[in-house]
Amino acid sequence: GGKGYGDFKKRLLEAYLTTFGPARRRYAELVSDPAELERILQDGANRAREEAARLMDKVRRAVGIP
């Protein structure tokens, strides 16, 4: 009661900014430094590759593939 569309729109914007503000700021940081973004992506790819190799080694041993 006593609240209109504009009031709720403002509250929704505040909630959105509170929830997603930190992620949006981090995204802006990453986009502004392509070299750092590439470094982070390469690091993640390397770690994923290592983990996948360990898992595949276990799978091969479990099924008897040398």
Side-chain angles (χ1 to χ4, degrees):
K3 299 275 184 186
Y5 173 77
D7 294 320
F8 289 108
K9 189 175 172 181
K10 288 177 188 175
R11 289 181 61 193
L12 178 61
L13 177 61
E14 289 172 13
Y16 174 82
L17 292 175
T18 299
T19 302
F20 296 106
R24 291 179 57 154
R25 284 189 291 280
R26 181 64 176 142
Y27 174 80
E29 289 173 14
L30 292 172
V31 170
S32 70
D33 188 354
E36 176 64 5
L37 178 57
E38 184 62 29
R39 186 197 66 73
I40 291 169
L41 291 173
Q42 285 298 320
D43 180 56
N46 290 338
R47 288 186 290 136
R49 202 172 293 114
E50 290 170 9
E51 183 64 28
R54 283 193 292 271
L55 177 61
M56 288 307 298
D57 185 50
K58 287 181 183 178
V59 169
R60 287 183 185 102
R61 282 186 277 133
V63 297
I65 299 173

